[in-house]
Amino acid sequence: MTAPAPTLPDITPGAGTGTPPATIVPARAKPRLRALDGLRLIAALMVAAYHYGGRDGEISEAWGSSPKAQFPTAHEWFAYGCLGVQIFFVISGFVICMSGWGRPLRSFFASRASRLLPSYWAAIVLVTAVFALPVVAYDAVSPSDALVNLTMLQQPLGVDRVLGVCWTLWAELRFYALFALCVVLPGATRARVVLFCAVWTLAAALAEAADEPLLDVVLMPEYAPFFVGGIGIYLIHRDRRDLTAWGITGVSWLVGQHYAVSGLWHAPDPDFFSYRSSLVIIAIVTAGFAAVLLIALGHLHRANWRWLTVAGALTYPFYLVHEHLGWVSVQALHRGLGLPSYATFGLTIAAMLALAWVLNRYVEARLTPAIRTGLGRGLTPRK
């Protein structure tokens, strides 16, 4: 969810694979996977639908009643929107493997930091400032906690979060660290990537069995199959006849759907906000894996519209600001102006996308290149 819209690396047909050149996706065939941008936006909108109409909590204060009352039928479908996060993780596995292949560690680090930090810092400052306004009904975190949030380490440090969605960034950071140490640092090869996927999958299963908190933090058993699945799909993208890559992807899907069901399914109970069918959960996880796989195999190459590039660029800032500032927007539009629920829902989505465009245009466009250049220069060994 957090990586930029990718460009394909230079892939030498058949190199290191022992397979005919026809099985390799040529690097110059599609310089940009725009369909992946579109999928990222779909995943972000799924999460937004969940936050605005698929759960209780602070959003109920914004609506003035439970989203069940606002969306009597749709709320049950909105409740599945949280699975957009798992789709993000599959996309992230694909993109990080692609962007880290053949790249030195310092370049990988500079790329990740320059991509994540500008909009993140802006979102932290913006949400903190808005929540500090007297007319806003939600409490801001303390100044000290807000400053810690700038590091992205608030969750392991037990500090109050400014952004509710930042827990996913903590998972992304741990994935980046594992991939950087095990693959990027020694140099990405097919054998090394396959070994990384196999060892992480087995180690995550052992961590689950051991019930050891430290291992859970490092190995992330509930999220590992989605990241690993994305990596497996990237290996298929390089060589569609790679049976090992298909095996990695298949095992990751099997384990991933298990964690999704175990985390989201419950027996029908009127005390819960909504009931999620295990079959629908499995179907959505499967659709996420399948969509990334279809893109990797080139079957969605016709979805090459330029506006998808813009959609991909807006996804990350939209994801950061939509939840907390969405509460403010919903309250102002629905309770303040008396707009109907669906109109409020649509206008809030539009407002958050507009804000994401501002952050992309005036924050990311200026700071991302500067941070990337500065970190790249700072990490270059001096003679």
Side-chain angles (χ1 to χ4, degrees), residues 8 23 26 181 184 272 281 302 367:
L8 296 180
T23 66
L181 291 174
V184 177
F272 284 86
I281 294 171
R302 292 187 178 181
L367 292 185

Side-chain angles (χ1 to χ4, degrees), residues 63-109:
W63 287 114
S65 64
S66 172
K68 281 186 176 182
Q70 305 296 330
F71 309 101
T73 302
H75 82 276
E76 295 187 359
W77 294 104
F78 289 160
Y80 291 101
C82 56
L83 287 164
V85 171
Q86 281 76 0
I87 297 174
F88 272 133
F89 288 163
V90 177
I91 296 172
S92 183
F94 182 98
V95 172
I96 293 306
C97 189
M98 178 164 58
S99 64
W101 202 291
R103 172 174 281 180
L105 183 61
R106 66 178 180 272
S107 176
F108 179 79
F109 172 75

Side-chain angles (χ1 to χ4, degrees), residues 190 194 232-233 235-236 239 242-250:
R190 177 189 173 279
V194 168
I233 294 174
L235 293 177
I236 294 172
D239 179 2
D242 188 342
L243 293 181
T244 301
W246 283 97
I248 289 170
T249 304

Side-chain angles (χ1 to χ4, degrees), residues 362-378:
Y362 295 102
V363 176
E364 290 183 332
R366 298 180 181 183
L367 292 185
T368 295
I371 293 174
R372 183 186 296 115
T373 301
L375 289 177
R377 184 186 302 117

